[in-house]
Amino acid sequence: HERIYRVAVDGRMSGDFFNAAVSPAPLAPTLKSEYPEVKNAVRIRNISQEALLSNIDKKFYQSDLIMADSSFFDIFDFKPKFGELHTALYEPLSIVITSSMAQKFFGELNPVGEIIELNNEFNLRITAVIEDIPNNTHFDFPAVISWASIDKIDPSGNQGNWGSLAFYTYIKLAENTDEKLFESKIEKVIMKKIIIESGESPEIFENFQMEFNAFLQPLADIHLHSNLMAELSQNSSISYVYTFSAIAIFILLIACINFMNLTTARSARRAKEVGIRKVHGAVKRQLVYQFISESVILSLFTLIIALLMVEIFLPYFGEIVGRRLDRSVLSNPVMIAKYAALAIVVGFIAGSYPAFYLSSFKPASVIKGFGMRNRQNVSLRNILVIFQFAISIFLIIGTGIINEQIDFVQNSRLGFDKERVLIVELRNQRLRENVNILKHELKKIPAVEFISASTLIPGAGSDGSAYFPEGQSANDPWLIFHAGIDFDYIYTMGMEMLRGRNFSPEFSTDSNAVIINKTLWQKLGWGEDVIGKKIKPGDPMNEFSYHVIGVVDDFHFASLHDKVEPFLFYLPRFDLRNLCIRLEKGDIKVHLANINDAWNRLEPEFPFEYEFLDQSFHDLYNAEIRLSKMYVYFTIIAIFIACLGLFGLSSYLAEQRTKEIGIRKTFGANAVGLAIMLTRDFTKWIVLANFIAWPLAYFMMEEWLLQFAYRINIAENWDIFIYAGLVSFFIAIITVSFQAFRAASANPAASLKYE
């Protein structure tokens, strides 16, 4: 993989900059033929919508199918299960499937040579089967179809157009190639080809502020480090790896600190042992070695318990984080050795301070019972407890802010009503051609309030193209996102018209009309006379132009990670790929059953499959929801361990003040007063921990919120910080009070006989 790169594109259009994972289709063969540094290249195109795959009596809807050149398996060494991979994608209408898909259709049989039908239109012959793709990759396809099929399956694919960024290009460089030098050589290749293809002068594109530059992404960096426009599949993020790793380290530090505190808090029980050992000739080095060895042995013993817990809980943990986690690491000798090394390091760190502290006792003092109190050691333990609770408070605040942001994005005004809306993808060309018939028949069902069709659906993003609005420079194209809709879409989605009117079949000129969003209207500065303004698509010299008939309020076609972009709707002549059905209020299950019955009468060959629009928007924030859950679990663990630290420290202080407590009780002090005295110092430690955690949490969570174009204002959610402080204070007092009341309730006579 070290020599495999994806060729991505960064560019600008009318001053708007973008970075995209996609590139023109001719780029791959051009790089291979014109640059000797390129040993091999492959084009990939994803089939964005779900496809219906069928074989005899089995039918499944499948997403994330891709198409690729025959060189695909020459570059990527996927593991073959059946068939010959290097020739598997040579012929048109050939397909290579994963082991999981083969299992669904054919069980354990070898399916090579069998036929799978795509959308009831194309017969694909299985030429090979590969093992399932690992999770730790940005590839997530169940099957790959030969590129030789593209003219049949996707004849309008623009595979010869240098200006169409709709494909993925991967190259394998020759050995000893300097990738930085090569990257500089190919940086301008796309623009050069576009200029040659257009026949225009380079100055034209400079005036248009249009630029496309190629750059290389190492294959290993894509899964965790790439977040470009139009990624092949949803990538993970290295930030989550760093976040969870940092939390794990913090929790481990808290545990180490607690071990130090609990050990030193019980130091009186081993003080005489140290004194006697020293009297009998033990030197400090031997005592340090003894105590560190005990700590390391304890840490190794807990490693065994931890591995057993991992074996038991790993599947459940995988469900929480949304990943299938591999248990094979537990049977990997190298990993086990790393875990053992970690346990030894943790044991050494946790045991070092108690070892030096205990070994420093003077024999005469400890045997007599003196010299156990050390202000410096008490102060250090206080600092460690403050550090523990600062981490716990930080996690509480982080959990609160993440939950507030998730609640904000899920309940924000989207510019349309996402409730009770079904999205049905029309995956077959015949279905798309008969969309008006489907709409007419389904509209008769009482359960259907509104029904419409569109090229795209909210939540799935949208396409953008160059447009030339009236009143703007002819040399200054605007990047405007767009979607095709029918006459009923605005009503179905519950959008609000701010100016003008909706599309109507009563106006034949609406075939050349557009409805723009509020953002585009405001950016263009058209004011009240927006209706009738012209927008030219594509080429400024083109005589054809749209005219504006209305302005719709802003809406979110993507998640709230992205800001609302300039947008327009138009009436397409074909390619309406999605039905949007708004249900009447009532029993949703009954409504769905009625629509399913009607669908089966109309289109029995295609199963009725749908998704709720509100659920699809909810799924856009799965990563944040998982992060929130993990924060909750880690916070509970951190607080629990921090409470153990407080318990240990309060136990230590109670032991140090045993005689004082006895004397105070003899002179009439009650248990409540003594408990307050013993817990008073802890209050200021928790307050100090809050003052440390609050600014840290503020700046860290402010940084996290930057990934959202629309986000909460932390300053307006100050109550989260107060709640975190109160929770930490309450938990600390409960923890300390138990030990305080226990010490304060002891018999004074026993306390005074302490020596």
Side-chain angles (χ1 to χ4, degrees), residues 149-173:
S149 316
I150 195 168
D151 288 333
K152 297 181 178 180
I153 295 176
D154 189 13
S156 60
N158 292 322
Q159 53 263 37
N161 185 355
W162 276 96
S164 175
L165 302 181
F167 305 84
Y168 301 88
T169 301
Y170 293 83
I171 60 174
K172 188 171 187 177
L173 296 180

Side-chain angles (χ1 to χ4, degrees), residues 179-341:
E179 68 274 9
K180 292 298 181 184
L181 179 61
F182 175 72
E183 185 177 49
S184 66
K185 291 176 65 175
I186 68 167
E187 181 182 12
K188 303 296 183 181
V189 65
I190 298 176
M191 278 309 302
K192 289 178 181 177
K193 296 295 183 180
I194 290 176
I195 293 169
I196 293 172
E197 186 178 76
S198 66
E200 302 286 350
S201 67
E203 289 75 17
I204 293 290
F205 294 93
E206 290 178 8
N207 293 335
F208 285 174
Q209 299 184 54
M210 185 182 296
E211 189 175 0
F212 299 96
N213 297 320
F215 67 96
L216 301 181
Q217 287 184 290
L219 184 68
D221 288 352
I222 297 174
H223 175 56
L224 291 177
H225 299 272
S226 181
N227 186 28
L228 306 182
M229 293 174 57
E231 289 283 355
L232 183 58
S233 61
Q234 184 176 3
N235 289 332
S236 188
S237 172
I238 193 65
S239 63
Y240 292 124
V241 178
Y242 291 152
T243 299
F244 293 138
S245 298
I247 293 174
I249 291 171
F250 282 145
I251 289 177
L252 197 56
L253 283 175
I254 291 175
C256 291
I257 291 167
N258 282 346
F259 182 80
M260 298 176 190
N261 279 337
L262 291 169
T263 302
T264 53
R266 294 289 184 261
S267 59
R269 301 182 181 182
R270 302 199 67 176
K272 288 186 178 181
E273 173 196 342
V274 172
I276 292 171
R277 285 183 180 276
K278 282 193 170 184
V279 168
H280 283 78
V283 296
K284 185 173 182 178
R285 176 175 52 82
Q286 292 172 317
L287 292 170
V288 169
Y289 176 77
Q290 173 196 340
F291 292 126
I292 289 181
S293 297
E294 291 175 1
S295 175
V296 170
I297 290 171
L298 181 62
S299 183
L300 288 170
F301 178 74
T302 57
L303 172 64
I304 298 172
I305 299 174
L307 290 175
L308 291 175
M309 292 176 66
V310 168
E311 185 69 21
I312 295 170
F313 294 112
L314 195 64
Y316 306 104
F317 183 74
E319 291 179 9
I320 294 171
V321 300
R323 288 286 186 271
R324 188 178 72 250
L325 301 178
D326 189 1
R327 292 193 189 192
S328 64
V329 294
L330 301 181
S331 58
N332 186 330
V334 176
M335 291 301 297
I336 296 297
K338 290 181 179 179
Y339 297 149

Side-chain angles (χ1 to χ4, degrees), residues 18-75:
F18 65 89
N19 293 69
V22 285
S23 55
L27 181 60
T30 298
L31 293 178
K32 185 178 179 181
S33 62
E34 297 183 8
Y35 294 87
E37 296 94 335
V38 178
K39 183 178 179 181
N40 215 334
V42 61
R43 292 168 292 186
I44 296 175
R45 176 148 197 179
N46 65 332
I47 300 176
S48 56
Q49 293 188 310
E50 287 191 342
L52 177 63
L53 299 179
S54 54
N55 174 265
I56 308 176
D57 60 339
K58 294 183 179 180
K59 292 185 177 183
F60 300 100
Y61 280 115
Q62 189 67 59
S63 59
D64 302 320
L65 297 179
I66 65 172
M67 306 182 75
D69 280 315
S70 58
S71 56
F72 183 75
F73 292 110
D74 295 325
I75 294 177

Side-chain angles (χ1 to χ4, degrees), residues 289-447:
Y289 176 77
Q290 173 196 340
F291 292 126
I292 289 181
S293 297
E294 291 175 1
S295 175
V296 170
I297 290 171
L298 181 62
S299 183
L300 288 170
F301 178 74
T302 57
L303 172 64
I304 298 172
I305 299 174
L307 290 175
L308 291 175
M309 292 176 66
V310 168
E311 185 69 21
I312 295 170
F313 294 112
L314 195 64
Y316 306 104
F317 183 74
E319 291 179 9
I320 294 171
V321 300
R323 288 286 186 271
R324 188 178 72 250
L325 301 178
D326 189 1
R327 292 193 189 192
S328 64
V329 294
L330 301 181
S331 58
N332 186 330
V334 176
M335 291 301 297
I336 296 297
K338 290 181 179 179
Y339 297 149
L342 175 64
I344 292 171
V345 171
V346 169
F348 181 84
I349 293 173
S352 57
Y353 172 70
F356 284 100
Y357 173 64
L358 292 171
S359 63
S360 65
F361 293 158
K362 295 180 180 180
S365 298
V366 296
I367 291 174
K368 290 179 180 180
F370 301 121
M372 293 300 300
R373 179 173 294 189
N374 185 316
R375 291 187 180 275
Q376 183 178 357
N377 292 326
V378 172
S379 299
L380 179 59
R381 279 189 289 276
N382 294 346
I383 292 172
L384 295 178
V385 169
I386 292 169
F387 176 71
Q388 286 179 323
F389 262 83
I391 293 173
S392 301
I393 294 164
F394 171 84
L395 292 175
I396 294 172
I397 295 171
T399 302
I401 291 175
I402 291 171
N403 286 331
E404 285 291 325
Q405 177 63 18
I406 292 173
D407 183 67
F408 172 77
V409 297
Q410 290 183 334
N411 295 289
S412 290
R413 178 180 170 276
L414 298 174
F416 57 88
D417 183 3
K418 66 180 186 298
E419 305 299 326
R420 308 192 325 274
V421 176
L422 298 182
I423 303 298
V424 182
E425 291 187 13
L426 305 177
R427 301 175 175 92
N428 180 275
Q429 184 61 34
R430 181 170 59 80
L431 291 178
R432 295 192 283 272
E433 291 173 354
N434 295 331
V435 62
N436 290 325
I437 297 174
L438 282 171
K439 284 174 52 185
H440 182 266
E441 294 299 320
L442 293 175
K443 201 170 185 178
K444 297 177 182 177
I445 304 171

Side-chain angles (χ1 to χ4, degrees), residues 38 91 101 143 171 230 262 272 301 304 320 339 371 391 403 416 488 514 548 591-592 603 629 659 692 731 742:
V38 178
E91 300 297 327
M101 180 180 282
I171 60 174
L262 291 169
K272 288 186 178 181
F301 178 74
I304 298 172
I320 294 171
Y339 297 149
I391 293 173
N403 286 331
F416 57 88
D488 302 311
V514 292
V548 177
H591 291 344
L592 291 175
E603 293 292 346
K629 290 180 180 178
K659 284 179 67 178
I692 294 172
I731 292 172
R742 181 182 175 188

